[in-house]
């Protein structure tokens, strides 16, 4: 049973860079053909798709965040990470990592518990 | 950018049918997924490829998609189905979530 666990700083200052990591257990990133996602949710609001990484290294990003977002993986550690630059209070949210099959319409079927990131001075 | 619109709330009596619409331009030309999120929990996939249920999702959940509207239907709604529901579709390689609907079982 694949499990995902996010880890992050909790608090980031405005204009700085947010970095959160997702550790995959119960299945290796490099041995599967899956997409790995980051999705965020401000408190009391809806879900926002941030981006995804394919095992080949290909990435897709939300156009509204594309200039600030990088998703990468460390295959040796079975981890993938989100980096978001020049953060503002609007980036305060619960950040979820997730996994889905290599075909989009099969959906996102494994989610982490989420990690809360607050942007504040 | 592509947008998916859902009503903020839907109310349903126990045992009745809840219909949750999701609207988007030519949405019927795309595949839609649905996610259920209960308070304090991560989302759970309840429908994919418009009308297919993942393993473990009860048969009372069904889906359809045509024209500009996709619909998640909960038949014989139970108290445990009270949650937020989000539709999701792909616009090129950009994943788009709907605005979300809170289903209240009265």
């Amino acid at each position: 049973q694949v499990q995902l666990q996010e880890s992050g700083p909790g608090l980031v200052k405005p204009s700085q860079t947010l970095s959160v990591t997702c550790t995959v257990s119960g299945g290796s990133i490099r041995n599967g053909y899956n997409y790995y996602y980051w999705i965020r949710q401000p408190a009391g609001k809806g879900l926002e798709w941030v981006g995804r990484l394919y095992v080949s290294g290909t990435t897709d990003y939300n156009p509204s965040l594309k200039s600030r977002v990088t998703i990468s993986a460390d295959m040796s550690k079975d981890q993938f990470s989100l980096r978001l630059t020049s953060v503002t209070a609007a980036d305060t949210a619960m950040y979820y990592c997730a996994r889905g099959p290599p075909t989009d319409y099969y959906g996102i079927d494994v989610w982490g518990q989420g990690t809360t990131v607050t942007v504040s001075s | 950018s592509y947008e998916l619109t859902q009503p903020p709330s839907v109310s349903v009596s126990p045992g009745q049918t809840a219909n949750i619409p999701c609207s988007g331009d030519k949405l019927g030309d795309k595949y839609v997924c649905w996610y259920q999120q209960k308070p304090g929990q991560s989302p759970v996939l309840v429908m994919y490829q418009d009308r297919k249920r993942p393993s473990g999702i009860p048969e009372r959940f069904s889906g359809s998609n045509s024209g500009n509207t996709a619909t998640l239907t909960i038949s014989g709604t139970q108290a445990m189905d009270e949650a937020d529901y989000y539709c999701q579709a792909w616009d090129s390689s950009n994943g788009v979530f709907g605005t979300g609907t809170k289903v209240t079982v009265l």
Side-chain angles (χ1 to χ4, degrees), chain A residues 93-114:
Chain A
M94 178 76 81
Y95 284 78
Y96 294 101
C97 64
R99 191 198 77 167
T103 304
D104 291 344
Y105 51 76
Y106 285 178
I108 302 170
D109 60 353
V110 182
W111 294 68
Q113 292 300 304

Side-chain angles (χ1 to χ4, degrees), chain A residues 41 49 52 60 96 105 108 112, chain B residues 31 35 37 42 49 94-95:
Chain A
Q41 184 174 36
W49 188 84
R52 67 180 178 180
D60 297 305
Y96 294 101
Y105 51 76
I108 302 170
Chain B
Y31 282 119
Y35 300 87
Q37 186 180 31
S42 303
Q49 203 174 342
N94 178 30

Side-chain angles (χ1 to χ4, degrees), chain A residues 1 14 17 20-21 26 28 30 34 47-48 55 59 62-64 77 79 81 83 91 95 101-102 104 109 116:
Chain A
Q1 181 87 10
T17 296
V20 286
T21 296
S28 172
R30 61 186 176 276
N34 294 294
L47 301 171
E48 181 180 28
V55 64
T59 52
N62 185 324
S64 69
K77 296 182 179 178
Q79 293 178 334
S81 299
R83 188 170 177 268
D91 296 310
Y95 284 78
D104 291 344
D109 60 353
T116 300

Side-chain angles (χ1 to χ4, degrees), chain A residues 6 37 39 41 45-50 52 60-63 96 103-114, chain B residues 31-33 35 37 40-45 47-50 52 84 86 88 90 92-99:
Chain A
E6 304 87 348
Y37 297 86
I39 294 148
Q41 184 174 36
K45 296 188 178 181
L47 301 171
E48 181 180 28
W49 188 84
V50 175
R52 67 180 178 180
D60 297 305
Y61 299 130
N62 185 324
Y96 294 101
T103 304
D104 291 344
Y105 51 76
Y106 285 178
I108 302 170
D109 60 353
V110 182
W111 294 68
Q113 292 300 304
Chain B
Y31 282 119
V32 174
C33 298
Y35 300 87
Q37 186 180 31
Q41 298 184 17
S42 303
V44 173
L45 180 68
M47 198 69 56
Y48 66 95
Q49 203 174 342
D50 294 341
K52 296 184 177 180
D84 294 327
Y86 296 90
Q88 188 239 330
W90 292 91
S92 297
S93 296
N94 178 30
V96 179
F97 285 100
T99 50

Side-chain angles (χ1 to χ4, degrees), chain B residues 3-27:
Chain B
E3 295 181 352
L4 294 174
T5 302
Q6 300 177 237
S9 63
V10 167
S11 296
V12 59
S13 300
Q16 298 304 301
T17 296
N19 291 302
I20 307 165
C22 170
S23 299
D25 185 48
K26 299 180 182 179
L27 186 56

